[in-house]
């Protein structure tokens, strides 16, 4: 008998039915009673015809209750789906058969049930845990009805992986019977994996079907049926599923909680290999019970509308947009591979890459670089690196990284560039999320990979020695591959411009860093955009003080050098180090982040005359990563008096998008064309790029149709040939970013002025919804920073949406020793300046020793963390400077 009701389960859903069994575990003629949650009666009572059926299969030790959120959402959707969430036999509230049911039996059982229900297509299977294998087995046997496959944290147990540690413990003879059947230990441990903790009533609902040892026998049997080795009775059935799904030609969606100690990311990577066309989304921070940790119903229904129920799709309204959804898909006869310039300069003995070392400089000529790239590509190919394989490069900028990048691109391997500027935790998330096949790293990176279990066959950037090599699990070394490759023919360069080339990572300033996938064509388009915008011709010499630009040097035909600095911290660049790097190659071009430039200015007094002379020869300085103020640029100009100072605007997803120089910034500041909202002027779109704005509604959401008119504030939209291909394994994020047809949603807020210049007003997630309307932060921040004694400022909202109060959080000059309310005179000055410039009434002014910023740029202020902190301290909390990351409720890019 089914007790209840259970939280979230509607009275119309539970039902039981008697089903004849054809499984080998059942005696001939057996009939078993099944319990299911089914919304068919509810939909029928409303006179609604469902779009199809979701057949949801739980794992061990849950039951159909796992799918209650999907049942509710599918029932209430504009286009509803029927959901049949089953309790497998001996599980949940279905019959205890007394038989040991193996995987093959369970697949047959599910077919028996769907036959009894008269279930017809279209059917989309949804599986979790070992219910994933059961649902896939049903899918393979019912191809005529199958319309799609959805999987959450499951596996088809690939050979060679072994069992997850948690399941090895559960199978141990000393633990198995006691842990799974005699007691509720296995149940409670599984429920404890939820992030956050399950509510008591929900936990009670999960425990309800398994109140006694007799009712838990199925749990123990389910664990015992895990095919741990080829000799296991269920191994052949699982092998049939594992290999059979390679031939599935229906849409697939993989939703994953990477904090799962049972089904880790390696199982996701295996499923991606078997279902390469699947849409994938990893929910950072979520774990095993994904349906409890995150809302999976909304993305599943959205995916069904996009991929399964596309016949009902409605054409989007006409909008201001370029043709197509991404211009990079168009064939371009002028495509020139990223490594073309390197090939063209094979006979050139002039320097290509220079490393700044403690003992001096190390140069590599163009001919030496080309030879080195060929040899390394051949060496990598000899150990099995193939086109499409992912290779994580954990090597600092310089000769080694440049060689590795171009060797991988020559092979057609996909470079994964997650720089150490993400911080240890961010770097680990990035590497694990990208799931590389190979990992090439310096010693420190290999230690981290070993300790933290990062994926990828290990390749050391240097020779670690025999003992350390074994300890770090190193299979090969770069010097060894170079030596081996010199006696091998150079690999043939792939000729598919639209194949994946690179996974680059965002800074992580607005949440966990996101992987951004570029094709070869898109990387080449990025090179072309930079070249055309700044006139960088072959033969140029550039200082790459901003790591992402290091890979573009050889592509541009420019000699490049990375100054002596900690690449994980741009603010460690000194004026002397910059001058030394410029001197080493007689540089005419400098790339540096705003934080790096601030550090250069702070250390400029230590420059000697040769250093000043070297910087005086610089003709172009570029700074990207965050907006720069006119006063800061004016000070930089004194160091590089002959240079054009440019501040390109863009993001990892598309760089550059717009550009402006110092003269342009000054002209814009005195122009009446800026329009309401002010902000930071980032100039006009670069060649090939298009920009529009999606206006904000009263709630601060970008819901308006794209506009190119002046003075309209909203989310900035971008289109360009060098726009990324997609986000990596973040299907939900990518769908949102592409939700305005023909455009990429940047998450930034701004407006175009009457002269076509773009002004950035902040991040969409950081807008304030006050009683007086929507406010963007940058203009108020700029006003606050004009008050004597202030440094950087951040304006954040405190309070409920629609009634937020603006709060200014400041750094001071000199630096404050502790977080505190601002002194009365400073607070009065800030309030007056902000009110006079923007009309915003500031509720409070707080000072801190240092604002929280991203690691990579040291300049993007984490306003979300500040908002949570300000709300805490103004609500009576302790005035400390411990900024906890605060997840914004309106993050524009999930």
């Amino acid at each position: 008998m089914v007790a209840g009701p259970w939280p979230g389960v509607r009275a119309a859903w539970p039902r039981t039915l008697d089903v004849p069994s054809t499984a080998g575990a059942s005696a001939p003629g057996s009939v078993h009673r099944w319990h299911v949650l089914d919304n068919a009666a509810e939909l029928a009572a409303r006179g609604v015809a469902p779009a199809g059926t979701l057949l949801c299969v739980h794992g061990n030790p849950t039951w159909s209750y796992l799918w209650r959120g999907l049942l509710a959402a599918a029932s209430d959707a504009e286009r509803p789906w029927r959901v049949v969430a089953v309790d497998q036999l001996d599980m949940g509230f279905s019959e205890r058969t007394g038989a040991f049911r193996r995987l093959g039996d369970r697949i047959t059982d599910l077919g028996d049930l769907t036959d009894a229900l008269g279930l017809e297509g279209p059917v989309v299977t949804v599986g979790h845990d070992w219910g994933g294998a059961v649902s896939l087995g049903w899918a393979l046997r019912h191809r005529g009805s199958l319309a799609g496959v959805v999987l959450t944290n499951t596996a088809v147990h690939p050979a060679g992986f072994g069992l997850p540690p948690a399941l090895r413990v559960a199978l141990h003879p000393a633990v198995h019977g006691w842990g799974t059947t005699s007691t509720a230990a296995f149940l409670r441990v599984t429920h404890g994996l939820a992030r956050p903790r399950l509510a008591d009533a929900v936990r009670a609902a999960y425990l309800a079907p398994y109140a006694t040892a007799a009712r838990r026998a199925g749990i123990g049997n389910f664990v015992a049926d895990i095919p741990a080795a080829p000799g296991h009775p269920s191994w052949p059935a699982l092998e049939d599923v594992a290999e059979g799904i390679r031939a599935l030609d229906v849409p697939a969606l993989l939703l994953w909680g990477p904090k799962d100690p049972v089904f880790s990311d390696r199982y996701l990577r295996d499923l991606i290999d078997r279902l390469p066309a699947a849409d994938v989304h990893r929910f950072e921070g979520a774990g095993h019970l994904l349906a409890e940790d995150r809302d999976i119903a909304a993305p599943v229904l959205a995916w069904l509308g996009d991929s399964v129920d596309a016949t009902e799709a409605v054409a989007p309204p006409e909008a201001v947009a370029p043709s197509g959804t991404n211009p990079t898909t168009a064939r371009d006869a002028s495509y020139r591979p990223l490594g073309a310039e390197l090939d063209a300069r094979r006979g050139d003995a002039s320097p290509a890459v220079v490393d700044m070392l403690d003992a001096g400089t190390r140069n590599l000529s163009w001919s030496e670089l080309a030879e080195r790239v060929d040899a390394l590509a051949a060496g990598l190919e000899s150990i099995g690196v193939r086109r499409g394989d992912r290779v994580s490069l954990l090597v600092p900028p310089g000769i080694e990284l440049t060689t590795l990048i171009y060797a991988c691109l020559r092979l057609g391997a996909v470079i994964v560039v997650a720089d150490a500027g993400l911080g240890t935790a961010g770097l680990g998330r990035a590497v694990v999320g990208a799931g590389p096949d190979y990992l090439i790293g310096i010693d420190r990176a290999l230690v981290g990979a070993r300790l933290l279990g990062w994926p990828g066959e290990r390749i050391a950037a240097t020779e670690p020695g025999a003992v350390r090599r074994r300890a770090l699990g190193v299979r090969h070394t770069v010097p060894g591959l170079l030596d081996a490759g010199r006696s091998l023919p150079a690999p043939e360069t792939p000729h598919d411009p639209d194949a994946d080339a690179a996974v680059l990572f965002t800074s992580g300033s607005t949440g966990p860093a996101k992987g951004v996938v570029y094709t070869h064509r898109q990387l080449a388009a990025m090179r072309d955009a930079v070249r055309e915008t700044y006139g960088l011709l072959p033969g140029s010499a550039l200082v790459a003080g901003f790591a992402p630009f290091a890979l573009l040097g050889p592509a541009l035909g420019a000699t490049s050098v990375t100054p002596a600095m900690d690449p994980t911290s741009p603010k460690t660049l000194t004026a002397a180090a910059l001058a030394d790097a410029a001197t080493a190659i007689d540089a005419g071009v400098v790339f540096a982040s705003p934080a790096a430039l601030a550090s250069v200015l702070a250390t400029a007094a230590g420059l000697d005359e040769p250093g000043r002379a070297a910087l005086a020869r610089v003709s172009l300085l570029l700074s990207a990563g965050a907006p720069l103020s006119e006063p800061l640029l004016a000070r930089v100009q004194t160091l590089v008096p002959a240079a054009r100072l440019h501040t390109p605007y863009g993001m990892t997803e598309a760089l550059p998008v717009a550009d402006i120089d110092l003269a342009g910034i000054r002209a814009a500041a005195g122009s009446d064309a800026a329009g309401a909202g002010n902000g930071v002027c980032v100039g006009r779109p670069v060649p090939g790029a298009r920009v529009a704005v999606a206006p904000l509604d009263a709630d601060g959401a970008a819901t308006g149709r794209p506009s190119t008119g002046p003075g309209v504030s909203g989310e900035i939209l971008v289109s360009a040939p060098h726009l990324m291909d997609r986000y990596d394994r973040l299907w939900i994020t990518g769908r949102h970013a592409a939700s305005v047809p023909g455009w990429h949603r940047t998450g930034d807020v701004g407006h175009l002025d009457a002269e076509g210049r773009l002004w950035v007003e902040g991040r969409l997630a950081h807008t304030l919804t006050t009683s007086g309307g929507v406010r963007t932060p940058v203009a108020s921040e700029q006003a606050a920073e004009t008050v004597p004694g202030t440094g950087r400022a951040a304006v954040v909202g405190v309070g409920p949406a629609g009634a937020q109060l603006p709060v200014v959080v400041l750094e001071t000059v000199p630096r404050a020793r502790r977080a505190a309310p601002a002194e009365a005179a400073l607070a009065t000055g800030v309030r007056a300046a902000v009110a006079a410039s923007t009309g915003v009434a500031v509720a409070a002014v707080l000072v801190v020793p240092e604002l929280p910023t991203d690691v990579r740029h040291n300049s993007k202020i984490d306003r979300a963390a500040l908002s949570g902190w300000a709300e805490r301290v103004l609500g009576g909390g302790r005035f400390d400077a411990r900024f906890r990351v605060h997840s914004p409720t309106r993050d524009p890019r999930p």
Side-chain angles (χ1 to χ4, degrees), residues 769-794:
T769 54
T770 71
S771 58
V774 176
R775 300 286 186 176
T776 54
V778 170
S780 295
E781 291 168 352
Q782 290 177 317
E785 289 168 356
T786 65
V787 178
T790 64
R792 292 182 299 181

Side-chain angles (χ1 to χ4, degrees), residues 160-256:
F161 278 9
L163 283 179
L167 294 182
R168 285 202 302 270
V169 171
L171 275 170
H172 194 280
V175 175
H176 177 250
W178 171 85
T180 64
T181 306
S182 300
T183 72
F186 188 70
L187 279 158
R188 295 186 184 280
V189 168
T190 302
H191 301 158
L193 297 177
R195 309 167 69 94
R197 185 179 184 276
L198 294 176
D200 290 345
V202 171
R203 186 184 295 265
Y206 272 117
L207 287 168
Y210 305 112
T212 66
R215 293 197 61 80
R216 292 191 290 267
I219 294 175
N221 292 345
F222 220 140
V223 171
D225 190 49
I226 296 171
H232 191 282
S234 286
W235 185 271
L238 191 57
E239 280 281 281
D240 288 345
V241 171
E243 294 307 310
I245 63 174
R246 294 185 187 275
L248 284 180
D249 56 359
V250 296
L253 176 65
L254 309 180
L255 301 177
W256 211 262

